[in-house]
Amino acid sequence: MTHLPEHLLNGYRNFMQGRYASESGRYVSLAREGQHPETMIVACCDSRSAPETIFDSGPGELFVLRNVANLVPPYEPDGEFHATSAALEFAVQSLKVKNIVVMGHGRCGGIKAALSNNAPLSPGDFIGKWMSMIGPAAETVASSTLMTSSERQTALERISIRYSLANLRTFPCVNILESKGRLTLYGAWFDISTGELWVMNKDTGDFERPELD
Amino acid sequence: MTHLPEHLLNGYRNFMQGRYASESGRYVSLAREGQHPETMIVACCDSRSAPETIFDSGPGELFVLRNVANLVPPYEPDGEFHATSAALEFAVQSLKVKNIVVMGHGRCGGIKAALSNNAPLSPGDFIGKWMSMIGPAAETVASSTLMTSSERQTALERISIRYSLANLRTFPCVNILESKGRLTLYGAWFDISTGELWVMNKDTGDFERPELD
Amino acid sequence: MTHLPEHLLNGYRNFMQGRYASESGRYVSLAREGQHPETMIVACCDSRSAPETIFDSGPGELFVLRNVANLVPPYEPDGEFHATSAALEFAVQSLKVKNIVVMGHGRCGGIKAALSNNAPLSPGDFIGKWMSMIGPAAETVASSTLMTSSERQTALERISIRYSLANLRTFPCVNILESKGRLTLYGAWFDISTGELWVMNKDTGDFERPELD
Amino acid sequence: MTHLPEHLLNGYRNFMQGRYASESGRYVSLAREGQHPETMIVACCDSRSAPETIFDSGPGELFVLRNVANLVPPYEPDGEFHATSAALEFAVQSLKVKNIVVMGHGRCGGIKAALSNNAPLSPGDFIGKWMSMIGPAAETVASSTLMTSSERQTALERISIRYSLANLRTFPCVNILESKGRLTLYGAWFDISTGELWVMNKDTGDFERPELD
């Protein structure tokens, strides 16, 4: 069998014998009745921060958009392709999710690229352009030479989460539903090394560790 | 604690006591040494088809882009924001993944939207624009009235995977690495109800169920 | 002995020593009391999809019509020879079967001929004419170049089953008995390779695999 | 599960656990490499005379046409639908079978109808028209009042087999291939009650029981 990488085929076998075997009823009803997730997560593509793993979620729970550095661009109804805006519109207008969580994480490659002056990876320079969304913030942080490199990285990771939350609010549907109390926005940041989840305090914008008791 | 939805906080607690507790060493080294995933997955945001679940993958294994209907747009080095192209560039050029899998799934809401003539969800009509990427194919399939609605849906889901794979090859870096045998492209389609994974035969483009033992 | 192919004679010997030996009573009473099959099957001549094998049926159970591609032509009381209509009339009016199953199968040579523009096999072009019954559908499917050759084949195989079921309903006797609940029509499709039987959902027309336990 | 008669579903389950389980390799290769049956059988729809049962045949062995009373009409290249001629053309020209066996059987309902003056089963009178193919022979036999009713029935069953064999030879392709020794025609008659197979002596046209050991 050469049509799928071996490690995926092995993993899929485990899924069928494990999770699917014990939850097939849930899958069947999710297929029949459609998905009704309460929560949308905007997360990073990074292989170390899968939302379903970190939130121990089952099928049907999380509608998950993943792009580099979990960025939400501002509202731009210009008729171009907007992967993120399309997912947002679908989650809010069609699925009517109640929560949107922007989840960043430590050691994010996209944020690191934004902070450094690396040459473009390819002539198209898609990463450069994509991360330019937080260009001004990145420049400011990069010039904060009193902070260590690691502190600058964490700082920009968190700034970009607040930036994406602000952009979310430029979407009329998000703005209206939030003001009506039917949609709530959240920020979170995952520390890969320690496994800690830092949650954004909505009042202050600070990232704090929740009590887990 | 009002700064994170309760169900996520509960799930995170499980993660810390379960997966993280037993794999903390792996997380620590993934943080220290960075990620080196072999495989990038382009998947849908759908809450029922998380790649990490279906492939039973651990931290560090899969670099995952998720957008509506797992679409890859064609190569367009036009200086605009391209979430998908940025993720692709990062995975191929920086992480040097060996495999890219485009994974679609049954009952996809984006594909369904492409097949129907629904009114836009919002004035921005982001979903409509996003899915217009496969507009010609959608029109052709939508007119196949000899097929049932469900057959049309499955047909377009699979056509769009082949379309995304073709678009992947319009990226010079993908094209060159594939021709050198250093990158392999794959297609897969997940059936939510049965849990079946149908893998695209690279020679014929057909979707077939792999033998699992 | 040159009056029967050797392989048939050997098979017949097995039948007499095996099945007939153990079921002779059943044969005797079937001879004496006549046949009363509950079910008529319209199947293809294909050597790989014998209904008695697939349904593990014994003598007296299935009244079986087999022609190329298991087609039922529309009702045409024009005084010509109609092999299929004659068998149908006999099964419904004389034997009073309760079920009619139209069973197609994968890799059907007749369907393949309908999808391709091959030269006639003989000056009479009987196959060409016979398959022209689904000519319009075949043309539509053949032009679906976004689907693979195998996908088009499966699509037309299933479309033709629905077509035959629709034609069955043009026979007044079928139509009346079905409306009285005394006759039920079914569709099924057999996958030669996997042995899977896909059964047509009567509500949607979709083909689905039945749960077997 | 209401989309297939229960007895078929049960039989299919047996098939999957029995024959398919033990012969899956054969099915897989028959799917991959196509069918290459050596023999075509023209048999009756009767539920008591399935060729695969009587000849204990496995998948891929017999290409089987079944109509009422196993009749082969004469060659008529008139552009009409001809189920039997289409199957014949396909078997001889495309599959290149080496043998064609016309197999009749005792207590055949179609033959019985031909011998009696019953009212048509339906306004279309498809059976009446179909059996009129052997109308002159049927009239002659029906008037043989010195024979018992059962003798007349058997007589016409065998006459009709010789008639079908003669019609087979009106097809140019059959005629040519037979004269070249690449195709052989056979007649056989199955006695439901005793399980006896009577084979037609090609030289005399008589039906005789073959020696089996």
Side-chain angles (χ1 to χ4, degrees), chain B residues 148 151 162 196 206 209, chain C residues 148 151 162 196 206 209:
Chain B
T148 67
E151 286 171 346
R162 289 191 290 261
E196 289 173 0
D206 290 323
R209 277 172 293 156
Chain C
T148 67
E151 285 170 347
R162 290 191 289 261
E196 288 173 1
D206 290 323
R209 275 172 294 156

Side-chain angles (χ1 to χ4, degrees), chain D residues 79-110:
Chain D
E80 298 295 320
F81 296 149
H82 290 293
T84 307
S85 304
L88 186 65
E89 184 187 67
F90 191 74
V92 172
Q93 301 284 69
S94 177
L95 299 176
K96 303 188 191 309
V97 296
K98 294 182 189 164
N99 313 298
I100 302 179
V101 181
V102 177
M103 180 174 81
H105 67 96
R107 298 159 200 259
C108 176

Side-chain angles (χ1 to χ4, degrees), chain B residues 136-138 140-141 143-144 146-151 155 158-159 162 191 194 196 198 204-207 209, chain C residues 136-138 140-141 143-144 146-151 155 158-159 162 191 194 196 198 204-207 209:
Chain B
T140 302
V141 174
S143 68
S144 303
L146 294 169
M147 297 167 81
T148 67
S149 144
S150 160
E151 286 171 346
R158 293 177 175 187
I159 287 166
R162 289 191 290 261
D191 183 324
T194 61
E196 289 173 0
W198 294 64
T204 63
D206 290 323
F207 284 78
R209 277 172 293 156
Chain C
T140 303
V141 174
S143 68
S144 303
L146 294 168
M147 296 166 82
T148 67
S149 143
S150 161
E151 285 170 347
R158 293 177 175 187
I159 286 166
R162 290 191 289 261
D191 184 324
T194 61
E196 288 173 1
W198 295 64
T204 63
D206 290 323
F207 284 78
R209 275 172 294 156

Side-chain angles (χ1 to χ4, degrees), chain B residues 4-212:
Chain B
L4 200 69
E6 195 63 24
H7 73 107
L8 294 185
L9 208 59
N10 290 336
Y12 173 63
R13 196 180 288 116
N14 292 342
F15 165 71
M16 283 309 279
Q17 290 166 358
R19 183 146 214 164
Y20 186 81
S22 64
E23 295 197 273
S24 58
R26 192 173 175 181
Y27 277 98
V28 168
S29 82
L30 277 169
R32 193 176 296 148
E33 294 156 29
Q35 64 174 332
H36 298 93
E38 280 189 18
T39 300
M40 174 186 192
I41 311 249
V42 181
C44 181
C45 298
D46 193 291
S47 64
R48 302 163 295 179
S49 65
E52 286 84 359
T53 304
I54 294 166
F55 296 118
D56 189 39
S57 310
E61 289 184 27
L62 304 179
F63 184 81
V64 178
L65 173 76
R66 291 176 72 176
N67 61 33
V68 172
N70 42 273
L71 293 179
V72 177
Y75 179 67
E76 280 188 295
D78 57 5
E80 298 294 321
F81 296 149
H82 291 292
T84 307
S85 304
L88 185 65
E89 185 187 68
F90 190 73
V92 172
Q93 301 285 67
S94 175
L95 298 177
K96 303 187 192 309
V97 296
K98 294 183 189 164
N99 313 298
I100 303 178
V101 181
V102 176
M103 180 174 82
H105 68 96
R107 297 157 201 262
C108 177
I111 295 291
K112 192 177 176 186
L115 282 171
S116 56
N117 271 322
N118 292 337
L121 288 171
S122 82
D125 191 20
F126 294 108
I127 277 285
K129 178 61 192 171
W130 178 249
M131 295 311 302
S132 75
M133 218 187 287
I134 55 165
E139 271 181 47
T140 302
V141 174
S143 68
S144 303
T145 49
L146 294 169
M147 297 167 81
T148 67
S149 144
S150 160
E151 286 171 346
R152 286 192 293 271
Q153 170 91 14
T154 302
L156 188 57
E157 284 161 2
R158 293 177 175 187
I159 287 166
S160 80
I161 292 168
R162 289 191 290 261
Y163 166 85
S164 286
L165 288 167
N167 282 346
L168 274 175
R169 294 190 170 99
T170 63
F171 285 77
C173 63
V174 171
N175 202 16
I176 290 167
L177 289 169
E178 191 186 26
S179 71
K180 288 185 178 169
R182 281 156 56 190
L183 181 64
T184 315
L185 307 190
Y186 302 87
W189 180 90
F190 178 68
D191 183 324
I192 291 167
S193 184
T194 61
E196 289 173 0
L197 188 74
W198 294 64
V199 173
M200 199 187 81
N201 181 312
K202 283 181 248 173
D203 303 321
T204 63
D206 290 323
F207 284 78
E208 303 162 350
R209 277 172 293 156
E211 288 179 30
L212 290 180

